[in-house]
Amino acid sequence: MAKSEGLKIRPLDDRIVVEGVEAEAQTAGGIYLPDNAKQKPQQGIVKAVGPGKLNDKGERTPVSVKVGDKVLYTRYGGNEVEVDGVEYKILREADILAKFAN
């Protein structure tokens, strides 16, 4: 069964719903970046996880991330959707590059 944080959207198979984390407005050197210089977020917090992909035997392969994990994902992967005024990205598990350590 899919796990989520009370969202009105449930991902299927190995899909994951991620809410993007905004880019920093200031660099490590102290330079402030204008809005047009910021890149689209590639980091986000997992908000919902699908039940996993079916393997050749018809069994579900569990997804390796869970709700609340902070992840790094590919820049152009997935689809952007808006639910209740909040923008989310729906990604396949393969689009997730890394999980940040807690």
Side-chain angles (χ1 to χ4, degrees):
M1 181 166 182
K3 297 176 186 139
S4 66
E5 283 189 344
L7 292 179
K8 293 181 180 178
I9 184 170
R10 292 188 192 163
L12 302 175
D13 295 329
D14 67 336
R15 289 180 180 86
I16 299 161
V17 178
V18 176
E19 183 176 2
V21 176
E22 288 299 318
E24 294 292 325
Q26 184 177 7
T27 66
I31 298 171
Y32 286 94
L33 298 172
D35 287 338
N36 61 354
K38 294 179 190 174
Q39 295 182 356
K40 287 181 117 179
Q42 285 182 261
Q43 298 178 22
I45 305 295
V46 175
K47 296 296 182 177
V49 177
K53 191 173 186 178
L54 285 173
N55 63 18
D56 294 336
K57 297 178 184 177
E59 301 166 343
R60 294 267 177 205
T61 304
V63 180
S64 59
V65 296
K66 62 185 184 304
V67 173
D69 284 346
K70 185 174 181 182
V71 294
L72 178 69
Y73 52 86
T74 59
R75 183 177 313 272
Y76 301 109
N79 296 302
E80 294 177 357
V81 296
E82 186 174 320
V83 179
D84 293 335
V86 180
E87 288 191 25
Y88 297 100
K89 194 158 212 166
I90 299 178
L91 307 161
R92 287 199 173 269
E93 185 177 22
D95 292 330
I96 304 257
L97 302 173
K99 180 167 66 169
F100 289 93
N102 293 340

